[in-house]
Amino acid sequence: TNLAQVTVSAAERHQAAAMVIPRIDRTDDGARANIGDSEEDLDEPRRQQYLAVLQFLHERSLFDSLAALERETGVHYNDGDLPVASVLEGSLDMFARYRVETAAATTADEEELQLVERGVCCTGPCPAGVQAVSLRGNVTALAWATAEYGELLALVATADKCLRLLGPDGQVLTETTALSSPVLGLDVSQSADDALATTMGGEALLFRLNRHTDGGWSLELKQCFKDHMKHVSSGRFAPAKESTENGDMKHKPWAFVTVSRDHQAKIYNTEDSADGDSMFILAGTVQLAGEVTCCCWVSHETFVLAARDDHNLHYWDVASGPNGTPARRMKANLNALGDSVVSFAVLALAVSPDRRLLAACTDKSRIVVMRSFTEKQLRNLYGATVEEYDVPSICFSLDQSFLYATSSLPQRTIRRDSGDEVTVNHMCGEVVIFELRSGEPVLKLPCHQKAVRCMARHPTSEHLVTGSFDKTVRFWS
């Protein structure tokens, strides 16, 4: 290329630049070129953003830049268009303070986790009683049915529509066999007097656990609720409120929540009946966009829901709405970057004993540990495998040093020379124990020949009980 052929005079260069960005006389509205968005086409948030930048340019006497931006945006700034001065600078200062405060809070959270004693994880088969209790059907749900330290009583549901109370030696203390459909979820109240069973048929069943003076037990069906249209996958009692009865301190259940594949959560609370006994009634319904997968309580008044096709955890107050109805409290985004992409489903929730930490187990083999009532992620735990059809269980240790999580291993087989296939790993269901301080798995406990369907920690000790589709229940300590 001959550079002499493209050489232009300074006047020609100035004229070319003026054609690209024309100068504007701010006093002559008729000289405004019709470029970019018109002020009428802008939504109000975008218009306010432009005004904040224009205000900044005006306060700095950058009138050429101000005129150019007015031309490009179609927004014209006059003194008084914004209620306060220096909106842009104030916003930047606010964001800077937020980052400093957030960093300080994150540091404080990390220091708190580092103060947790590391301890030694030595969970193994329970020395008391038999190691495995064999049943006639696949185990679908279980829960501890005691409030006493060292007492090993587990309420167990199986696919053959039975509900049994098991002792540590495997004996069936009492059972109910007249259920209309299999139980999918179990929870027992803090006093261990009431049990909540949620079923495949859409029912929520409330049982009374009766301990007789002769040492015997019975399960009494107190109430049956049929408010859901599809499977009721889970239900949880609210933390009990203390009350005095005949001079004794009692912990009576006063509310519970159930979640279903019908995209709803139902909230029930108590009212006193004519005979003085407390009965539960439906107090409200929460409707979400997707199937509600799990729930837990983070305080006496607030519960948390997770749903499919949803990247948020939903916090609801049980009775702060009009006429004592449930009211949304907040949403917590599970995406660390704050975006709205849905790439996982939360299948299990657990809250720490002091209710300050919340753990969410996803179908992508990831457990997110968060500060309750915030979006702050403290740990992301990897090492517990969730297969396509698994229903995982998670729970914290009593001192919050560890987190227990169920995990599935693929069953491996080898073919012998004779052509027969032999299973190599007989224990495909395991419990992975994570140390919260480091976020690392510190123990993998082989439990069952098939996937672990359910797991629970004893309310007053580190005993575990696990149930599986291999038709066994096992106790661990």
Side-chain angles (χ1 to χ4, degrees), residues 421-443:
E421 289 188 350
V422 179
T423 301
V424 176
N425 57 329
H426 291 281
M427 305 297 268
C428 294
E430 65 178 9
V431 171
V432 178
I433 305 176
F434 294 92
E435 182 188 54
L436 280 181
R437 179 175 177 176
S438 64
E440 297 296 326
V442 293
L443 181 65

Side-chain angles (χ1 to χ4, degrees), residues 435-453:
E435 182 188 54
L436 280 181
R437 179 175 177 176
S438 64
E440 297 296 326
V442 293
L443 181 65
K444 293 188 176 182
L445 188 68
C447 295
H448 294 273
Q449 296 180 10
K450 294 186 178 181
V452 181
R453 162 73 189 191

Side-chain angles (χ1 to χ4, degrees), residues 8-19:
V8 297
S9 66
E12 290 173 326
R13 289 199 303 272
H14 180 77
Q15 182 180 3
M19 294 174 62

Side-chain angles (χ1 to χ4, degrees), residues 95-124:
F95 180 69
R97 289 194 301 271
Y98 169 78
R99 293 187 64 182
V100 171
E101 293 168 358
T102 301
T106 301
T107 301
D109 287 331
E110 183 61 32
E111 290 175 350
E112 182 179 340
L113 284 177
Q114 292 303 318
L115 290 176
V116 174
E117 183 179 354
R118 300 198 69 171
V120 177
C121 183
C122 52
T123 303

Side-chain angles (χ1 to χ4, degrees), residues 70-271:
E70 285 183 336
R71 177 185 180 86
E72 293 294 331
T73 62
V75 178
H76 188 68
Y77 175 76
N78 291 305
D79 286 338
D81 283 350
L82 294 176
V84 295
S86 306
V87 170
L88 181 60
E89 288 182 292
S91 300
L92 293 175
D93 290 343
M94 186 188 307
F95 180 69
R97 289 194 301 271
Y98 169 78
R99 293 187 64 182
V100 171
E101 293 168 358
T102 301
T106 301
T107 301
D109 287 331
E110 183 61 32
E111 290 175 350
E112 182 179 340
L113 284 177
Q114 292 303 318
L115 290 176
V116 174
E117 183 179 354
R118 300 198 69 171
V120 177
C121 183
C122 52
T123 303
C126 184
V130 297
Q131 294 185 10
V133 180
S134 297
L135 301 170
R136 294 192 297 269
N138 291 333
V139 179
T140 57
L142 53 74
W144 289 101
T146 179
E148 301 295 330
Y149 181 85
E151 185 178 51
L152 305 182
L153 299 173
L155 194 62
V156 179
T158 49
D160 55 358
K161 305 177 186 179
C162 290
L163 188 61
R164 300 177 178 90
L165 181 64
L166 300 182
D169 295 323
Q171 69 273 33
V172 178
L173 303 178
T174 185
E175 66 179 343
T176 294
T177 59
L179 301 179
S180 59
S181 62
V183 171
L184 299 179
L186 278 173
D187 193 34
V188 174
S189 64
Q190 185 175 339
S191 62
D193 295 327
D194 301 275
L196 173 64
T198 56
T199 73
M200 187 177 291
E203 298 172 328
L205 308 175
L206 198 62
F207 289 91
R208 178 65 53 85
L209 283 164
N210 296 313
R211 188 196 297 251
H212 304 298
T213 55
D214 60 359
W217 290 83
S218 64
L219 276 169
E220 178 187 2
L221 179 61
K222 296 290 292 184
Q223 290 183 265
C224 176
F225 304 93
K226 299 181 180 180
D227 300 307
H228 287 286
M229 301 300 293
K230 293 185 178 180
H231 299 354
V232 186
S233 53
S234 178
R236 291 289 182 268
F237 283 109
K241 293 181 177 180
E242 294 183 352
S243 62
T244 303
E245 185 176 310
N246 298 326
D248 297 328
M249 187 64 69
K250 298 290 185 179
H251 295 86
K252 287 188 174 182
W254 69 279
F256 65 86
V257 60
T258 59
V259 299
S260 169
R261 290 186 177 180
D262 62 6
H263 301 194
Q264 292 183 342
K266 303 285 186 180
I267 299 90
Y268 302 83
N269 57 24
T270 55
E271 67 172 8

Side-chain angles (χ1 to χ4, degrees), residues 459-470:
T460 60
S461 70
E462 293 301 334
H463 287 85
L464 299 177
V465 61
T466 58
S468 168
F469 282 174
D470 65 4

Side-chain angles (χ1 to χ4, degrees), residues 359-394:
C361 181
T362 75
D363 59 349
K364 301 301 182 185
S365 304
R366 168 190 172 210
I367 302 173
V368 184
V369 181
M370 311 174 68
R371 177 72 69 194
S372 298
F373 296 101
T374 73
E375 295 182 341
K376 190 177 301 178
Q377 298 186 12
L378 305 178
R379 290 287 184 270
N380 279 270
L381 308 179
Y382 296 93
T385 303
V386 179
E387 297 290 350
E388 183 177 1
Y389 299 107
D390 283 352
V391 180
S393 297
I394 55 176

